[in-house]
Amino acid sequence: MKKMLTMLLALLLMTTTALGESSIPDEVTNLIPEGAVLLETDRDDGLMEYEFRDGDMFYEVVLREGQVIALKTHNAALKPAKENKLTEETAIAGLNGTVLYARAEKDDGRWLWKVIVQEEEGLAEYEMNAETGEVMETEMYFSAEIEMPPEGYRKLDLELEDGRLRWEKD
């Protein structure tokens, strides 16, 4: 039984690798570390999404009409902080571009800093540990520009809907 499970696992890994190598565009593989494992692909609303894992790091690359429009990363080893020890100045230090939004937020009793920056490559959203400043998640929307949200939109989250960025209401 153990041999059979080992053989099935090896076959699954070989199949995943073979499929992954032949079906993932260079535009995607150039953005993720070599050796990252393909977890899932999904086609939805004209978008093609590829999800990968490399240790504690998770990557999602989104394409529309063959062009990369978004890269999202998540470090599963990092969690929000028990208390907020950062100032806005320290939270945004080292980020390049124009800061559109920076705020400490409490999520399920834990603290994080959410920062949205208009960078040269596009629009970036960072979530950082509110004690250490370590980046837990990033979302980069290439060639994207966005105006500040209309009245009534207090919680600023960016959502990729139909390939467009939208502000989400609180």
Side-chain angles (χ1 to χ4, degrees), residues 25 27-28 31 46-48 61-70 142-143:
E27 293 84 357
V28 173
L31 294 173
L47 302 177
M48 186 67 197
V61 182
V62 182
L63 284 80
R64 181 178 54 218
E65 298 173 5
Q67 295 292 322
V68 176
I69 61 169
F142 297 99
S143 301

Side-chain angles (χ1 to χ4, degrees), residues 104-168:
E105 298 181 357
K106 200 168 189 179
D107 185 21
D108 294 329
R110 313 274 294 177
W111 284 95
L112 61 92
W113 269 88
K114 182 171 288 188
V115 181
I116 299 175
V117 180
Q118 182 70 56
E119 297 181 352
E120 190 175 313
E121 302 85 13
L123 197 66
E125 179 177 4
Y126 299 93
E127 288 188 4
M128 294 174 258
N129 178 294
E131 276 185 54
T132 66
E134 291 177 288
V135 177
M136 301 179 302
E137 292 187 18
T138 63
E139 295 182 13
M140 182 68 195
Y141 300 96
F142 297 99
S143 301
E145 293 183 23
I146 194 165
E147 296 176 10
M148 290 307 290
E151 193 71 31
Y153 286 70
R154 291 172 291 159
K155 182 178 180 188
L156 302 182
D157 275 330
L158 296 172
E159 291 296 323
L160 194 59
E161 184 178 298
D162 298 329
R164 295 181 187 88
L165 288 171
R166 303 189 193 282
W167 292 108
E168 183 179 276

Side-chain angles (χ1 to χ4, degrees), residues 24 43 45-46 48 60 79 90 98 102 108 117 135 146 156:
I24 303 171
R43 183 176 297 279
D45 294 328
M48 186 67 197
E60 180 180 350
K79 305 289 181 221
T90 56
T98 303
D108 294 329
V117 180
V135 177
I146 194 165
L156 302 182

Side-chain angles (χ1 to χ4, degrees), residues 14-66:
M14 287 188 304
T15 304
T16 302
T17 301
L19 286 173
E21 288 174 359
S22 64
S23 63
I24 303 171
D26 289 342
E27 293 84 357
V28 173
T29 57
N30 292 339
L31 294 173
I32 60 165
E34 190 175 319
V37 176
L38 178 65
L39 299 176
E40 181 179 359
T41 60
D42 184 33
R43 183 176 297 279
D44 188 29
D45 294 328
L47 302 177
M48 186 67 197
E49 300 175 8
Y50 296 85
E51 294 181 25
F52 298 86
R53 179 176 187 174
D54 184 30
D56 288 331
M57 290 297 297
F58 290 84
Y59 302 87
E60 180 180 350
V61 182
V62 182
L63 284 80
R64 181 178 54 218
E65 298 173 5

